[in-house]
Amino acid sequence: MTLSRRRIVTVTSGAVLALGLVACGSDDDADDEGGDGTTSESSDVDDDASEEDVDDAEDTDDDTDDTDDVDEVEEVADSPNGGDAPSWAAPVVTPGDQITTIEGDNFEVAVYQVGVTPSPKDGMLVDPDDNQPVLAEGDDIVFVNYVVTNTSSETIPMSISLVDISPKYEDWPYLQGMDSITDFSLYEEMGVNNDAVDDRPEDGIYHLEPGQSVSYGDNFMYRTDAAVIFEARLTPVDEEGDLVSDERQEVTAEVTLS
């Protein structure tokens, strides 16, 4: 998905772009979550215990280790395309119904339609012709979920933009991209990540290993009378973290929402 992180296009008050929009602001809040600790107990084997009892205890430990291994394998197997998430990423989630797939040379993006809900506030963009929000409070917005997977046999080194995904209706009349609502509580309600990144690497390079996946959600105006064109852009980085523009990919997929 922008996976990139979402980008909000704004201009200074009073500015008018050809076929463009002016912007207004909105505030957002995010909540922090904490974790719970656990404790464990141990028991001693009696000095007078028989050799058979000791062997039974060792067998029990072996069984426990096997159970842990099975759980770990099942967790990985449940991830999209059999891959897991890199250490820097938020857990991969796949709510909704898959509606299309964007395919690049070494990656793919599975796009899911998650749900529709009324917008809790006006969007950022205002139509200069009538000075009204393009996306107004109460208008229906649709949430989508992007699951990006490395489909190659080599590691993909990326910048903070990851795979940047932009949705736009085929008849979108403005120069700017479509508006979205930045409300963390809505993302939580829809069960999607508002950001694919959970922990930023010190070197600023986001390595996506073969088979690994990341996911994040997005939202925009909900329509069923025109197809949405999803464009995915991936520009890898070199060992220094600089963008390698010559290897940039731009791929699209088109689908009509249900």
Side-chain angles (χ1 to χ4, degrees):
M1 10 238 230
T2 293
L3 216 16
S4 58
R5 307 170 65 87
R6 285 175 308 283
R7 298 175 296 163
I8 299 299
V9 179
T10 60
V11 296
T12 56
S13 177
V16 177
L17 299 176
L19 292 179
L21 307 169
V22 295
C24 55
S26 62
D27 298 326
D28 310 289
D29 298 320
D31 297 329
D32 296 329
E33 296 180 355
D36 296 329
T38 59
T39 59
S40 60
E41 297 179 356
S42 62
S43 59
D44 296 328
V45 177
D46 189 5
D47 292 341
D48 296 331
S50 66
E51 183 177 348
E52 181 179 354
D53 292 336
V54 174
D55 290 340
D56 290 342
E58 291 176 350
D59 291 341
T60 301
D61 290 340
D62 291 339
D63 291 342
T64 301
D65 292 340
D66 292 343
T67 301
D68 292 340
D69 291 340
V70 171
D71 290 341
E72 182 178 353
V73 171
E74 289 179 351
E75 181 178 356
V76 172
D78 288 342
S79 299
N81 300 310
D84 59 342
S87 59
W88 48 262
V92 174
V93 293
T94 58
D97 298 319
Q98 185 172 344
I99 55 176
T100 191
T101 302
I102 312 170
E103 297 185 357
D105 292 338
N106 56 354
F107 74 95
E108 70 176 23
V109 183
V111 182
Y112 295 78
Q113 182 173 336
V114 180
V116 178
T117 187
S119 175
K121 55 189 174 183
D122 292 345
M124 297 285 291
L125 305 179
V126 175
D127 189 326
D129 291 338
D130 57 13
N131 204 34
Q132 296 298 313
V134 174
L135 178 60
E137 179 179 353
D139 288 348
D140 282 341
I141 56 176
V142 60
F143 270 81
V144 294
N145 187 49
Y146 305 128
V147 179
V148 180
T149 301
N150 180 348
T151 57
S152 74
S153 59
E154 298 181 358
T155 300
I156 303 176
M158 304 177 293
S159 70
I160 184 63
S161 296
L162 306 182
V163 177
D164 186 31
I165 307 168
S166 299
K168 185 180 293 186
Y169 286 107
E170 59 183 349
D171 60 354
W172 187 249
Y174 307 106
L175 293 179
Q176 287 95 331
M178 296 200 296
D179 205 355
S180 63
I181 298 299
T182 308
D183 187 321
F184 294 164
S185 63
L186 277 183
Y187 283 83
E188 183 176 357
E189 180 181 333
M190 290 292 174
V192 297
N193 299 323
N194 67 285
D195 194 337
V197 176
D198 189 48
D199 185 22
R200 299 191 177 193
E202 292 183 1
D203 60 3
I205 301 177
Y206 297 80
H207 294 94
L208 191 64
E209 303 295 336
Q212 287 188 331
S213 301
V214 296
S215 72
Y216 80 97
D218 196 6
N219 69 79
F220 50 86
M221 177 188 303
Y222 175 59
R223 293 175 55 188
T224 58
D225 60 346
V228 183
I229 300 173
F230 293 94
E231 181 180 49
R233 294 178 295 276
L234 169 60
T235 305
V237 298
D238 58 22
E239 294 179 355
E240 303 299 324
D242 297 324
L243 295 173
V244 185
S245 299
D246 291 343
E247 298 181 13
R248 174 174 177 147
Q249 296 182 58
E250 295 183 354
V251 289
T252 62
E254 183 174 324
V255 65
T256 301
L257 301 178
S258 59

